[in-house]
Amino acid sequence: MNDLPPPSSLAHTAVIVVAAGSGTRLAAGAPKAFVPLCGRAILEHALDGVFAAAPAQVILVVPAGLESDARTILEAAQTTFTGREMPPSEVRSDNPRPASDEGAPVVAVIVGGETRQRSVAAGLAVLADGIDTVLVHDAARALTPPAQFAAVSAAVRPGVGVIPALPVVDTLKRVHGEEVVAPVDRSELAAAQTPQGFPRTELVAAYGHAEAQGIEYTDDAALFAAAGGAVRHVLGSEEAFKITTPHDLERARMILTSSAVPDGPAIPRIGIGTDVHAFAPGGTLRLAGLDWPGEPALEGHSDGDAVAHAIVDALLGAAGLGDIGQHFGTAHPEYAGAHGDVFLARTAEILAEGGFAIGNVSVQFQGNRPRFSARRAEAERVLSEALGGAPVAVSATTTDGLGFPGRGEGIAVTAVALVHPIALG
Ligand code: CTP
Ligand code: MG
């Protein structure tokens, strides 16, 4: 897919994103497009690919009752990709204004039907003027690359619809009950994906034809072919798989979190955190989750536990979930004066919510005091407990009298953490 047309080739193309299904097989307690995937709805991921392809119109077809949620998601995607906020009046279901060749696409949210075919038909009814090519796309194929939209759209011709498809890799058998009846020649077969693209006028006519016949077709290409259209295929992509079952959702999550090898093993991620605090007169030192009577305290917005703070940054960094300032800083007065173990426990929760388990943490501080080795095991146990049991190793070193730790002005800490993507229930 290297010789792709420029994005401007979608200047007269509309994408109908069908997201009105109930997701029975996923069974995740909400209509499938609204099920969370790495902290965002499946639909939000799907719209990333759609808007990145820069079509002239985006029509989003959703279950009744979820129009307002869908509008919020659509407007956010619109703003992210075009840098332009849409006035609410432009996110509407009726009488869409003509598609323009420049700027943000026209968008619409409408309610779908009982079947996918009816949902697509509802989308076709609000095509804008000036659209000549229609791509019909399953929201459930949430990770479809933008280039796939461009490749399909570019191949559409008068009288010719286009589907992305992948060769079938498994050895196939025709079966009857428990009996294997015959082998099937897989070289004749391909697995169809979306978006499927068609010339507008002919697709609308084909839908009219199907409605008159009262026939439900397996996909838009079959419906188009039944009305006499030709259908060609271009190469699809592994990432455009349809999220149908809980296993598919897990596969999508693995791809998003490993950001490397689709379908490969979940790759652990590493993070680093540092923290420095100055000693302050008065108070009692709090470090590595322990009180140190007789030692000077460290300054800080919270308890000044630089070891705990460095661990928090290492963990959040490893998971790509922000940093300590974002989650616990001055914008969160509820954490003023809080102990480091409160930060650690909350950080473990943030990671779990984001789909990460903690592998291990290693942390070292530089400072002349406190004398640490006698309490190492105690500190490691307390820090590990605060993180829900993940192993934590703590060490201390002096700096040969050099720098601020060597002059006894404060403590510098470095932490590294390893985290693993996990299945979100
Ligand atoms: N779809 C739709 N309207 C319907 C049925 C399906 O818009 N009445 C959409 C789905 O939202 C999905 C796509 O068509 O994006 C493909 O359908 P499928 O994967 O079967 O999704 P669901 O029908 O939601 O799932 P299930 O069949 O497991 O209930
Ligand atoms: Mg279905």
Side-chain angles (χ1 to χ4, degrees), residues 115 126 144 146 174 201 231 253 260 264 345 368 418:
T115 63
V126 299
T144 304
R174 193 173 306 285
T201 318
V231 181
R253 214 185 58 69
N368 297 342
L418 196 74

Side-chain angles (χ1 to χ4, degrees), residues 221-243:
L223 181 149
F224 188 75
V231 181
R232 307 257 183 275
H233 63 98
V234 296
L235 187 62
S237 53
E238 295 286 352
E239 304 94 299
F241 72 95
K242 184 156 71 77
I243 299 172

Side-chain angles (χ1 to χ4, degrees), residues 44-220:
E44 294 180 77
H45 292 281
L47 289 178
D48 285 350
V50 171
F51 276 97
Q57 186 182 17
V58 177
I59 299 167
L60 180 52
V61 189
V62 297
L66 288 171
E67 302 95 307
S68 146
D69 292 355
R71 243 176 234 123
T72 306
I73 289 173
L74 187 63
E75 282 167 14
Q78 169 91 319
T79 309
T80 304
F81 279 90
T82 65
R84 280 179 41 181
E85 272 185 54
M86 296 301 288
S89 60
E90 294 195 31
V91 184
R92 53 191 292 171
S93 58
D94 56 342
N95 194 23
R97 66 180 172 81
S100 70
D101 285 10
E102 50 196 67
V106 179
V107 293
V109 172
I110 54 167
V111 172
E114 280 290 296
T115 63
R116 183 183 180 283
Q117 191 167 313
R118 286 198 194 158
S119 294
V120 176
L124 289 173
V126 299
L127 283 171
D129 293 346
I131 295 295
D132 58 22
T133 301
V134 179
L135 304 186
V136 183
H137 184 52
D138 292 337
R141 297 184 188 274
L143 306 187
T144 304
Q148 189 153 317
F149 294 82
V152 169
S153 180
V156 172
R157 301 270 176 275
V160 180
V162 177
I163 65 167
L166 283 181
V168 176
V169 291
D170 290 322
T171 296
L172 300 175
K173 304 289 183 195
R174 193 173 306 285
V175 295
H176 184 70
E178 289 185 355
E179 196 183 340
V180 175
V181 181
V184 177
D185 179 5
R186 72 174 170 227
S187 68
E188 290 183 359
L189 302 175
Q193 301 183 330
T194 71
Q196 300 191 347
F198 308 90
R200 172 193 183 149
T201 318
E202 289 150 75
L203 183 64
V204 170
Y207 263 85
H209 190 239
E211 197 170 320
Q213 288 177 314
I215 297 178
E216 284 286 328
Y217 289 93
T218 18
D219 66 355
D220 307 290

Side-chain angles (χ1 to χ4, degrees), residues 315 343-353 356 358 386-388:
L315 287 167
F343 286 28
L344 291 172
R346 177 61 193 140
T347 301
E349 268 174 28
I350 292 169
L351 261 66
E353 288 159 12
F356 291 94
I358 302 169
L387 289 176

Side-chain angles (χ1 to χ4, degrees), residues 21-25 32 114-116 242 244:
S22 54
T24 322
R25 288 166 288 178
K32 185 157 69 183
E114 280 290 296
T115 63
R116 183 183 180 283
K242 184 156 71 77
T244 306

